[in-house]
Amino acid sequence: MEPRRIILLGASNLTLAWPRLLDVIASVCPEPMEVRTAHGMGRSYFLPYSRFVFRELPGILQSGLWSSLAQTPDREPLALITDIGNDLVYGRQPAEIVDAIDECVTRIRSWHPESRIVLTRPPVTSVQDVGRLRFAFFRRVLFPATSLTLEMIKTGTAELDDRLVALANERSVCLVEPERQWYGLDPIHVRLRWQRAAFRKILQHWGMGITDCNDVAKRVRVSGRRPVPETVLRLGREQIHSQPSIQTKDFSVFCY
């Protein structure tokens, strides 16, 4: 049987939840899988490169993921587009960000018109609850280079959410609203204890159902391993890694 193709696009939430995320995907899709992903801490959708500490990754739209989608699969792929608010802290406008998401949807549907695509809305309520002291702390820790104010982040997040709702309606894409309880002091990252529940709620919109069989977990024992991107800059030096980054009998991960 041809493996189910799965596309995962995002940033830090995919990175932090990676082992648990693959377990959830296996329970949603208990069949051979081929995962193609572009994610990473601080990942931008459309900047040429985005930096986290000493590592830089190309923007998701500039990554090698798209050129890897050469052959149209027989069955409809499953796609998740998340961490959509990341580019706000790089000073990008909500309209620009939604245009980048729209381009991702277009490319996925050009690959297969019947792709099942799920978008997640930004955590508007969690962001609106942030006070000045908490914002100052997390800005310094997570995005020290940004000059955005708390008011600018709150306004931008709300506008981004409105534009995503309009995009989802226009393109007939499923849009999932995050729950406030998923977040703690950190307003944008799903808490460890809620990661499985959060992704179960999100990925159930692929329409595949949920499998509770314990044998499913055995298929993704490699999920504890994190995939290595095809192209990464470390201290300005480009490193190229062959793909798939993870490969088993019926499970593979290509990372870009």
Side-chain angles (χ1 to χ4, degrees), residues 42-63:
R43 192 76 179 262
S44 169
Y45 269 89
F46 59 96
L47 294 180
Y49 278 91
S50 48
R51 176 178 301 194
F52 181 77
V53 192
F54 302 114
R55 181 273 294 144
E56 293 180 75
L57 292 172
I60 290 173
L61 285 175
Q62 287 81 23
S63 73

PDB file of all heavy atoms in Angstrom, residues 42-63:
ATOM      1  N   GLY A  42      11.659  29.278  16.281  1.00  0.00           N
ATOM      2  CA  GLY A  42      11.766  30.584  15.648  1.00  0.00           C
ATOM      3  C   GLY A  42      11.589  30.580  14.141  1.00  0.00           C
ATOM      4  O   GLY A  42      11.933  31.564  13.482  1.00  0.00           O
ATOM      5  N   ARG A  43      11.035  29.525  13.582  1.00  0.00           N
ATOM      6  CA  ARG A  43      10.959  29.388  12.121  1.00  0.00           C
ATOM      7  C   ARG A  43      10.009  30.409  11.506  1.00  0.00           C
ATOM      8  O   ARG A  43       8.884  30.599  11.966  1.00  0.00           O
ATOM      9  CB  ARG A  43      10.499  27.969  11.755  1.00  0.00           C
ATOM     10  CG  ARG A  43      10.656  27.590  10.259  1.00  0.00           C
ATOM     11  CD  ARG A  43      12.083  27.295   9.954  1.00  0.00           C
ATOM     12  NE  ARG A  43      12.341  26.909   8.571  1.00  0.00           N
ATOM     13  CZ  ARG A  43      12.459  25.639   8.151  1.00  0.00           C
ATOM     14  NH1 ARG A  43      12.300  24.640   8.986  1.00  0.00           N
ATOM     15  NH2 ARG A  43      12.750  25.375   6.888  1.00  0.00           N
ATOM     16  N   SER A  44      10.464  31.035  10.443  1.00  0.00           N
ATOM     17  CA  SER A  44       9.648  31.973   9.678  1.00  0.00           C
ATOM     18  C   SER A  44       9.032  31.255   8.490  1.00  0.00           C
ATOM     19  O   SER A  44       9.596  30.301   7.953  1.00  0.00           O
ATOM     20  CB  SER A  44      10.504  33.140   9.182  1.00  0.00           C
ATOM     21  OG  SER A  44       9.808  33.918   8.237  1.00  0.00           O
ATOM     22  N   TYR A  45       7.869  31.747   8.078  1.00  0.00           N
ATOM     23  CA  TYR A  45       7.258  31.186   6.888  1.00  0.00           C
ATOM     24  C   TYR A  45       7.883  31.743   5.616  1.00  0.00           C
ATOM     25  O   TYR A  45       7.967  31.048   4.607  1.00  0.00           O
ATOM     26  CB  TYR A  45       5.747  31.434   6.878  1.00  0.00           C
ATOM     27  CG  TYR A  45       4.988  30.301   7.536  1.00  0.00           C
ATOM     28  CD1 TYR A  45       4.736  30.304   8.898  1.00  0.00           C
ATOM     29  CD2 TYR A  45       4.564  29.191   6.798  1.00  0.00           C
ATOM     30  CE1 TYR A  45       4.066  29.257   9.513  1.00  0.00           C
ATOM     31  CE2 TYR A  45       3.892  28.136   7.398  1.00  0.00           C
ATOM     32  CZ  TYR A  45       3.651  28.170   8.759  1.00  0.00           C
ATOM     33  OH  TYR A  45       3.000  27.123   9.361  1.00  0.00           O
ATOM     34  N   PHE A  46       8.329  33.007   5.633  1.00  0.00           N
ATOM     35  CA  PHE A  46       8.775  33.562   4.363  1.00  0.00           C
ATOM     36  C   PHE A  46      10.047  34.397   4.403  1.00  0.00           C
ATOM     37  O   PHE A  46      10.513  34.838   3.343  1.00  0.00           O
ATOM     38  CB  PHE A  46       7.660  34.387   3.722  1.00  0.00           C
ATOM     39  CG  PHE A  46       7.162  35.528   4.554  1.00  0.00           C
ATOM     40  CD1 PHE A  46       7.648  36.799   4.376  1.00  0.00           C
ATOM     41  CD2 PHE A  46       6.176  35.325   5.505  1.00  0.00           C
ATOM     42  CE1 PHE A  46       7.172  37.861   5.128  1.00  0.00           C
ATOM     43  CE2 PHE A  46       5.686  36.374   6.265  1.00  0.00           C
ATOM     44  CZ  PHE A  46       6.188  37.653   6.084  1.00  0.00           C
ATOM     45  N   LEU A  47      10.659  34.618   5.560  1.00  0.00           N
ATOM     46  CA  LEU A  47      11.955  35.281   5.567  1.00  0.00           C
ATOM     47  C   LEU A  47      13.007  34.359   4.941  1.00  0.00           C
ATOM     48  O   LEU A  47      12.881  33.133   5.028  1.00  0.00           O
ATOM     49  CB  LEU A  47      12.369  35.631   6.992  1.00  0.00           C
ATOM     50  CG  LEU A  47      11.520  36.673   7.734  1.00  0.00           C
ATOM     51  CD1 LEU A  47      12.084  36.892   9.139  1.00  0.00           C
ATOM     52  CD2 LEU A  47      11.481  37.978   6.972  1.00  0.00           C
ATOM     53  N   PRO A  48      14.035  34.908   4.318  1.00  0.00           N
ATOM     54  CA  PRO A  48      15.073  34.052   3.715  1.00  0.00           C
ATOM     55  C   PRO A  48      15.656  33.068   4.729  1.00  0.00           C
ATOM     56  O   PRO A  48      15.849  31.894   4.421  1.00  0.00           O
ATOM     57  CB  PRO A  48      16.118  35.047   3.228  1.00  0.00           C
ATOM     58  CG  PRO A  48      15.351  36.303   2.980  1.00  0.00           C
ATOM     59  CD  PRO A  48      14.292  36.335   4.044  1.00  0.00           C
ATOM     60  N   TYR A  49      15.957  33.550   5.950  1.00  0.00           N
ATOM     61  CA  TYR A  49      16.460  32.693   7.021  1.00  0.00           C
ATOM     62  C   TYR A  49      15.934  33.215   8.353  1.00  0.00           C
ATOM     63  O   TYR A  49      15.700  34.414   8.514  1.00  0.00           O
ATOM     64  CB  TYR A  49      17.998  32.677   7.058  1.00  0.00           C
ATOM     65  CG  TYR A  49      18.612  31.721   6.061  1.00  0.00           C
ATOM     66  CD1 TYR A  49      18.951  32.155   4.782  1.00  0.00           C
ATOM     67  CD2 TYR A  49      18.837  30.381   6.392  1.00  0.00           C
ATOM     68  CE1 TYR A  49      19.504  31.288   3.861  1.00  0.00           C
ATOM     69  CE2 TYR A  49      19.388  29.510   5.465  1.00  0.00           C
ATOM     70  CZ  TYR A  49      19.723  29.967   4.203  1.00  0.00           C
ATOM     71  OH  TYR A  49      20.255  29.098   3.298  1.00  0.00           O
ATOM     72  N   SER A  50      15.734  32.318   9.297  1.00  0.00           N
ATOM     73  CA  SER A  50      15.357  32.708  10.656  1.00  0.00           C
ATOM     74  C   SER A  50      16.329  32.049  11.627  1.00  0.00           C
ATOM     75  O   SER A  50      16.687  30.879  11.467  1.00  0.00           O
ATOM     76  CB  SER A  50      13.915  32.304  10.976  1.00  0.00           C
ATOM     77  OG  SER A  50      13.655  30.967  10.620  1.00  0.00           O
ATOM     78  N   ARG A  51      16.768  32.813  12.612  1.00  0.00           N
ATOM     79  CA  ARG A  51      17.822  32.364  13.516  1.00  0.00           C
ATOM     80  C   ARG A  51      17.259  31.999  14.880  1.00  0.00           C
ATOM     81  O   ARG A  51      16.350  32.642  15.390  1.00  0.00           O
ATOM     82  CB  ARG A  51      18.882  33.453  13.676  1.00  0.00           C
ATOM     83  CG  ARG A  51      19.970  33.117  14.679  1.00  0.00           C
ATOM     84  CD  ARG A  51      21.025  34.193  14.770  1.00  0.00           C
ATOM     85  NE  ARG A  51      21.675  34.424  13.488  1.00  0.00           N
ATOM     86  CZ  ARG A  51      22.794  35.104  13.359  1.00  0.00           C
ATOM     87  NH1 ARG A  51      23.393  35.623  14.399  1.00  0.00           N
ATOM     88  NH2 ARG A  51      23.327  35.274  12.165  1.00  0.00           N
ATOM     89  N   PHE A  52      17.847  30.946  15.465  1.00  0.00           N
ATOM     90  CA  PHE A  52      17.599  30.593  16.859  1.00  0.00           C
ATOM     91  C   PHE A  52      18.955  30.227  17.466  1.00  0.00           C
ATOM     92  O   PHE A  52      19.568  29.237  17.061  1.00  0.00           O
ATOM     93  CB  PHE A  52      16.612  29.429  16.982  1.00  0.00           C
ATOM     94  CG  PHE A  52      16.308  29.058  18.410  1.00  0.00           C
ATOM     95  CD1 PHE A  52      15.447  29.830  19.176  1.00  0.00           C
ATOM     96  CD2 PHE A  52      16.885  27.936  18.983  1.00  0.00           C
ATOM     97  CE1 PHE A  52      15.174  29.493  20.492  1.00  0.00           C
ATOM     98  CE2 PHE A  52      16.614  27.589  20.298  1.00  0.00           C
ATOM     99  CZ  PHE A  52      15.754  28.375  21.056  1.00  0.00           C
ATOM    100  N   VAL A  53      19.428  31.068  18.391  1.00  0.00           N
ATOM    101  CA  VAL A  53      20.755  30.916  18.972  1.00  0.00           C
ATOM    102  C   VAL A  53      21.781  30.955  17.830  1.00  0.00           C
ATOM    103  O   VAL A  53      21.903  31.953  17.151  1.00  0.00           O
ATOM    104  CB  VAL A  53      20.877  29.647  19.843  1.00  0.00           C
ATOM    105  CG1 VAL A  53      22.160  29.667  20.662  1.00  0.00           C
ATOM    106  CG2 VAL A  53      19.685  29.530  20.800  1.00  0.00           C
ATOM    107  N   PHE A  54      22.511  29.826  17.589  1.00  0.00           N
ATOM    108  CA  PHE A  54      23.554  29.817  16.563  1.00  0.00           C
ATOM    109  C   PHE A  54      23.130  29.099  15.291  1.00  0.00           C
ATOM    110  O   PHE A  54      23.949  28.842  14.419  1.00  0.00           O
ATOM    111  CB  PHE A  54      24.828  29.161  17.108  1.00  0.00           C
ATOM    112  CG  PHE A  54      25.376  29.845  18.328  1.00  0.00           C
ATOM    113  CD1 PHE A  54      25.397  29.202  19.545  1.00  0.00           C
ATOM    114  CD2 PHE A  54      25.847  31.151  18.251  1.00  0.00           C
ATOM    115  CE1 PHE A  54      25.893  29.833  20.684  1.00  0.00           C
ATOM    116  CE2 PHE A  54      26.345  31.797  19.366  1.00  0.00           C
ATOM    117  CZ  PHE A  54      26.371  31.137  20.583  1.00  0.00           C
ATOM    118  N   ARG A  55      21.843  28.772  15.187  1.00  0.00           N
ATOM    119  CA  ARG A  55      21.347  27.997  14.054  1.00  0.00           C
ATOM    120  C   ARG A  55      20.405  28.840  13.198  1.00  0.00           C
ATOM    121  O   ARG A  55      19.600  29.601  13.710  1.00  0.00           O
ATOM    122  CB  ARG A  55      20.623  26.755  14.584  1.00  0.00           C
ATOM    123  CG  ARG A  55      20.074  25.824  13.518  1.00  0.00           C
ATOM    124  CD  ARG A  55      18.687  26.221  13.054  1.00  0.00           C
ATOM    125  NE  ARG A  55      17.685  26.079  14.085  1.00  0.00           N
ATOM    126  CZ  ARG A  55      16.659  26.908  14.233  1.00  0.00           C
ATOM    127  NH1 ARG A  55      16.497  27.945  13.447  1.00  0.00           N
ATOM    128  NH2 ARG A  55      15.772  26.707  15.189  1.00  0.00           N
ATOM    129  N   GLU A  56      20.504  28.702  11.882  1.00  0.00           N
ATOM    130  CA  GLU A  56      19.598  29.388  10.966  1.00  0.00           C
ATOM    131  C   GLU A  56      18.977  28.373  10.018  1.00  0.00           C
ATOM    132  O   GLU A  56      19.640  27.453   9.544  1.00  0.00           O
ATOM    133  CB  GLU A  56      20.344  30.446  10.153  1.00  0.00           C
ATOM    134  CG  GLU A  56      20.866  31.613  10.966  1.00  0.00           C
ATOM    135  CD  GLU A  56      21.597  32.621  10.095  1.00  0.00           C
ATOM    136  OE1 GLU A  56      20.922  33.372   9.370  1.00  0.00           O
ATOM    137  OE2 GLU A  56      22.845  32.616  10.135  1.00  0.00           O
ATOM    138  N   LEU A  57      17.683  28.553   9.754  1.00  0.00           N
ATOM    139  CA  LEU A  57      16.955  27.706   8.822  1.00  0.00           C
ATOM    140  C   LEU A  57      16.296  28.579   7.763  1.00  0.00           C
ATOM    141  O   LEU A  57      15.880  29.706   8.050  1.00  0.00           O
ATOM    142  CB  LEU A  57      15.870  26.900   9.552  1.00  0.00           C
ATOM    143  CG  LEU A  57      16.339  25.815  10.519  1.00  0.00           C
ATOM    144  CD1 LEU A  57      15.162  25.266  11.299  1.00  0.00           C
ATOM    145  CD2 LEU A  57      17.045  24.699   9.764  1.00  0.00           C
ATOM    146  N   PRO A  58      16.183  28.072   6.541  1.00  0.00           N
ATOM    147  CA  PRO A  58      15.495  28.860   5.502  1.00  0.00           C
ATOM    148  C   PRO A  58      14.021  28.997   5.847  1.00  0.00           C
ATOM    149  O   PRO A  58      13.444  28.180   6.570  1.00  0.00           O
ATOM    150  CB  PRO A  58      15.704  28.019   4.235  1.00  0.00           C
ATOM    151  CG  PRO A  58      15.933  26.628   4.733  1.00  0.00           C
ATOM    152  CD  PRO A  58      16.660  26.776   6.033  1.00  0.00           C
ATOM    153  N   GLY A  59      13.397  30.061   5.324  1.00  0.00           N
ATOM    154  CA  GLY A  59      11.957  30.200   5.494  1.00  0.00           C
ATOM    155  C   GLY A  59      11.232  28.989   4.932  1.00  0.00           C
ATOM    156  O   GLY A  59      11.734  28.324   4.012  1.00  0.00           O
ATOM    157  N   ILE A  60      10.070  28.705   5.467  1.00  0.00           N
ATOM    158  CA  ILE A  60       9.334  27.515   5.029  1.00  0.00           C
ATOM    159  C   ILE A  60       9.047  27.569   3.529  1.00  0.00           C
ATOM    160  O   ILE A  60       9.183  26.558   2.820  1.00  0.00           O
ATOM    161  CB  ILE A  60       8.040  27.367   5.848  1.00  0.00           C
ATOM    162  CG1 ILE A  60       8.390  26.967   7.292  1.00  0.00           C
ATOM    163  CG2 ILE A  60       7.102  26.334   5.221  1.00  0.00           C
ATOM    164  CD1 ILE A  60       7.223  26.941   8.245  1.00  0.00           C
ATOM    165  N   LEU A  61       8.685  28.742   3.012  1.00  0.00           N
ATOM    166  CA  LEU A  61       8.414  28.850   1.582  1.00  0.00           C
ATOM    167  C   LEU A  61       9.681  28.719   0.745  1.00  0.00           C
ATOM    168  O   LEU A  61       9.620  28.387  -0.439  1.00  0.00           O
ATOM    169  CB  LEU A  61       7.726  30.181   1.273  1.00  0.00           C
ATOM    170  CG  LEU A  61       6.248  30.282   1.674  1.00  0.00           C
ATOM    171  CD1 LEU A  61       5.728  31.683   1.423  1.00  0.00           C
ATOM    172  CD2 LEU A  61       5.408  29.253   0.926  1.00  0.00           C
ATOM    173  N   GLN A  62      10.846  28.979   1.353  1.00  0.00           N
ATOM    174  CA  GLN A  62      12.116  28.856   0.630  1.00  0.00           C
ATOM    175  C   GLN A  62      12.772  27.488   0.822  1.00  0.00           C
ATOM    176  O   GLN A  62      13.833  27.224   0.259  1.00  0.00           O
ATOM    177  CB  GLN A  62      13.102  29.936   1.099  1.00  0.00           C
ATOM    178  CG  GLN A  62      12.787  31.339   0.618  1.00  0.00           C
ATOM    179  CD  GLN A  62      11.719  32.016   1.458  1.00  0.00           C
ATOM    180  OE1 GLN A  62      11.503  31.648   2.601  1.00  0.00           O
ATOM    181  NE2 GLN A  62      11.054  33.007   0.906  1.00  0.00           N
ATOM    182  N   SER A  63      12.167  26.644   1.628  1.00  0.00           N
ATOM    183  CA  SER A  63      12.788  25.353   1.955  1.00  0.00           C
ATOM    184  C   SER A  63      12.696  24.373   0.797  1.00  0.00           C
ATOM    185  O   SER A  63      11.940  24.569  -0.160  1.00  0.00           O
ATOM    186  CB  SER A  63      12.114  24.742   3.194  1.00  0.00           C
ATOM    187  OG  SER A  63      10.817  24.251   2.869  1.00  0.00           O
TER     188      SER A  63
END
